[in-house]
Amino acid sequence: MRPGQLILPVAATATLLFLLSGLTLTLSCNKALCASDVSKCLIQELCQCRPTDGNCSCCKECMLCLGNLWEECCDCVGMCNPKNYSDSPATSKSTVEELHRPIPSLFRALTEGDAPINMMVVSFPVAEELSHHENLVSFLESLDSTQQNVSVPGNSIHAYDAQENMCTVVYFDDCVSIRQCKLYCESMGGSKYRWFHNACCQCIGPECVDYGSKAVKCMNCLF
């Protein structure tokens, strides 16, 4: 065996090749979101059982391996019924997360003036972010008038001058994995990120109140 060469068990190799080939053939598996993590779990032989055949001996281990991608990717490893994505394209779904150590000054410096290569900087009024909150806030305020123990998260929202404050986000031109998206946004000093399930990445600046824009605008990753 050559140095650094990895030898997989024959059964694991065969299963991995079979299931990964299925990722490219079936419409029920979200390849952009799931391929990397599914490969990792299959190589470790953590998702080999078949609940549909009455064998769920590996279900817990497989769920732990896929982590927060279980709901989206369980069908890729045959653990749940295939999903129908025909009515909900990948561009309509996204994963968001707050970054724990943002550097606002760095993000502002990188997004001022001409955009860096392979990126697009977009700014829009904070009011666009807040618009989808209005019905929720109105409901909670009406609820609070009858139940004094209900906390209404409206003060922090209304404290912003939505007409003057601008939310700035950055889109990367090419498709990237969710891990790359988080790493890139952390390296830019971003406050949050939104990773669309078609693999488009959006880094969200410090002035944004919510999670940026819900529109996919990655130049080479639109579908």
Side-chain angles (χ1 to χ4, degrees):
M1 182 177 68
R2 296 177 182 176
Q5 185 176 3
L6 177 64
I7 302 296
L8 294 177
V10 175
T13 303
T15 303
L16 176 61
L17 291 175
F18 173 76
L19 287 173
L20 287 181
S21 65
L23 293 182
T24 63
L25 296 175
T26 179
L27 294 177
S28 64
C29 179
N30 189 338
K31 299 184 291 295
L33 178 66
C34 302
S36 175
D37 288 84
V38 165
S39 300
K40 175 193 68 176
C41 297
L42 291 176
I43 289 174
Q44 297 180 52
E45 299 185 21
L46 298 175
C47 302
Q48 307 294 77
C49 59
R50 289 293 170 267
T52 53
D53 296 332
N55 177 12
C56 203
S57 57
C58 69
C59 291
K60 183 176 181 180
E61 289 78 8
C62 186
M63 178 182 288
L64 291 173
C65 183
L66 289 175
N68 60 5
L69 293 179
W70 170 260
E71 290 79 5
E72 291 287 345
C73 304
C74 60
D75 57 334
C76 297
V77 291
M79 288 284 164
C80 59
N81 293 324
K83 300 177 182 66
N84 181 8
Y85 290 101
S86 60
D87 296 328
S88 54
T91 52
S92 70
K93 296 184 177 182
S94 59
T95 298
V96 297
E97 183 180 354
E98 293 194 19
L99 300 174
H100 297 299
R101 300 179 64 184
I103 309 176
S105 59
L106 174 61
F107 187 88
R108 294 187 187 103
L110 293 177
T111 55
E112 288 178 353
D114 295 334
I117 190 170
N118 298 326
M119 300 179 194
M120 179 172 66
V121 179
V122 178
S123 296
F124 51 90
V126 169
E128 291 185 19
E129 279 197 301
L130 300 182
S131 60
H132 70 277
H133 283 294
E134 293 304 318
N135 290 337
L136 174 62
V137 172
S138 297
F139 169 75
L140 290 174
E141 287 176 343
S142 64
L143 189 62
D144 187 52
S145 64
T146 56
Q147 298 181 2
Q148 297 300 319
N149 61 337
V150 175
S151 175
V152 180
N155 293 337
S156 61
I157 292 176
H158 294 303
Y160 286 85
D161 186 337
Q163 297 301 321
E164 294 185 4
N165 285 275
M166 299 294 287
C167 169
T168 298
V169 301
V170 172
Y171 290 94
F172 292 92
D173 289 349
D174 298 322
C175 298
V176 299
S177 71
I178 189 170
R179 290 186 179 85
Q180 289 174 312
C181 182
K182 181 176 181 178
L183 179 63
Y184 292 165
C185 294
E186 286 179 331
S187 69
M188 291 190 69
S191 298
K192 308 167 189 174
Y193 71 90
R194 181 187 292 273
W195 187 78
F196 295 92
H197 290 189
N198 73 323
C200 172
C201 176
Q202 176 190 164
C203 298
I204 302 165
E207 278 76 27
C208 302
V209 179
D210 198 36
Y211 285 92
S213 172
K214 293 183 178 180
V216 173
K217 295 185 180 180
C218 299
M219 295 296 293
N220 304 323
C221 193
L222 293 172
F223 305 103

